Amino acid sequence: MQLTKEQLAQFDRDGYLFFPNRFSAEEMRTLTAAVPELYSRREAYNVREKGSDAVRTNFAAHLVSEPFARLARHPRMVQPVMELFGEGVYMHQFKINGKMAFEGDVWQWHQDYGTWLNDDMMPTERAMNVAIFLDDVNEFNGPLMFIPGSHRKGVVEAKHDLTTTSYPLWTVDNDLIAQLVERAGGKDGGIVSPKGPAGSMILFHSCLVHASTSNLSPWNRVAVYLSLCAVSNHIRRFKRPEYIAHRDFTPIELLPDDCLLNPPPVDVPWQDGMPASALQTSSVPIDEIRQAA
């Protein structure tokens, strides 16, 4: 999968690209079949909704589950990011967001790079997200909302919200959101919301301001997010657990395009349990720790 000149120009302008039906229904079944068992685990990497047993986010499935280990190396998801950055990428974060029917809570307005900068000391915004819908996404089940072109503002001011939901997030002030939406077109395109069938894919910039509403519908809206970072731009601090912000900066090696249907063997190092080291954190930058050693 290679991006065209028109797609590159659109990404530069809007900060995202949407690819409906990028994966087949058969490919999706190999992934959706693995989700219930992952969500059933009583592990730290399953963050549940505030006041509910529904899973909000499952982290690091590519280290636990073979189907998702293959998705993490899929050329349709990884190659476009390598092309945009002109270098190898590593997996900074892998999550399966479960906005479950009737229970899926909001994701406040935020930039992902804001968190990666403040918490992980990622040097620049040379990282981005690739998302794939495991369920059909419609206007009722809490679709993603983007402010087109907001990535061009770079890192904007954010506050650490520790109370609104079960997951802490660096969120953007409402007044600034109103300004960004007006700048992007107001009621005429200032907010967009890609929707489509399971198997659709979104590529979006790490500085693109985005959010999603709660899911009050009877339909789940589960999606997988690969947060891919240029190897040269790896994080400089391990303040968060390894299941949230990964510490292996080895470039991803791509699998064949049919890897979900003709599955090759893959390594799943946490299949039998997450190591205790994955929970160890430090607010001290990596370089200082190495110098002290």
Side-chain angles (χ1 to χ4, degrees), residues 15-33:
Y16 76 96
L17 292 170
F18 181 49
F19 304 91
N21 297 296
R22 181 56 59 179
F23 290 79
S24 70
E26 187 178 1
E27 288 174 314
M28 286 298 94
R29 283 193 288 271
T30 68
L31 299 174
T32 54

Side-chain angles (χ1 to χ4, degrees), residues 237-257:
R237 179 169 63 187
F238 299 155
K239 185 179 179 180
R240 298 193 291 172
E242 187 177 6
Y243 64 84
I244 296 178
H246 297 302
R247 303 168 187 177
D248 182 355
F249 309 140
T250 305
I252 294 171
E253 294 186 8
L254 300 179
L255 292 176
D257 188 77

Side-chain angles (χ1 to χ4, degrees), residues 104-223:
D105 206 350
V106 303
W107 285 91
Q108 312 93 299
W109 286 108
H110 67 285
Q111 296 176 306
D112 286 334
Y113 179 62
T115 298
W116 303 341
L117 172 65
N118 287 304
D119 288 346
D120 306 323
M121 290 183 64
M122 184 181 288
T124 74
E125 62 269 26
R126 284 175 59 79
M128 66 181 65
N129 295 296
V130 189
I132 182 172
F133 300 167
L134 296 192
D135 294 307
D136 295 347
V137 175
N138 57 47
E139 61 267 41
F140 306 112
N141 61 353
L144 277 169
M145 299 185 295
F146 297 141
I147 303 177
S150 55
H151 65 299
R152 289 176 166 268
K153 294 285 288 184
V155 181
V156 301
E157 184 178 352
K159 297 179 181 178
H160 208 191
D161 185 344
L162 303 172
T163 59
T164 300
T165 71
S166 61
Y167 186 73
L169 201 64
W170 288 88
T171 61
V172 181
D173 179 82
N174 289 343
D175 289 340
L176 180 54
I177 293 298
Q179 294 173 27
L180 292 171
V181 170
E182 188 62 29
R183 175 176 172 268
K187 294 181 180 179
D188 298 316
I191 299 177
V192 297
S193 186
K195 296 173 284 288
S200 298
M201 188 178 95
I202 307 176
L203 175 71
F204 63 100
H205 196 284
S206 59
C207 284
L208 189 68
V209 179
H210 60 288
S212 63
T213 62
S214 59
N215 183 5
L216 299 179
S217 81
W219 307 296
N220 293 339
R221 195 225 76 180
V222 179

Side-chain angles (χ1 to χ4, degrees), residues 39-40 42 46-58 96-105 166 220:
Y39 277 9
S40 72
R42 295 292 166 176
N46 272 332
V47 178
R48 300 182 186 272
E49 296 285 12
K50 192 174 184 178
S52 168
D53 199 48
V55 170
R56 177 179 179 83
T57 298
N58 165 276
I96 308 174
N97 279 0
K99 189 163 290 227
M100 309 309 288
F102 301 114
E103 297 186 281
D105 206 350
S166 61
N220 293 339

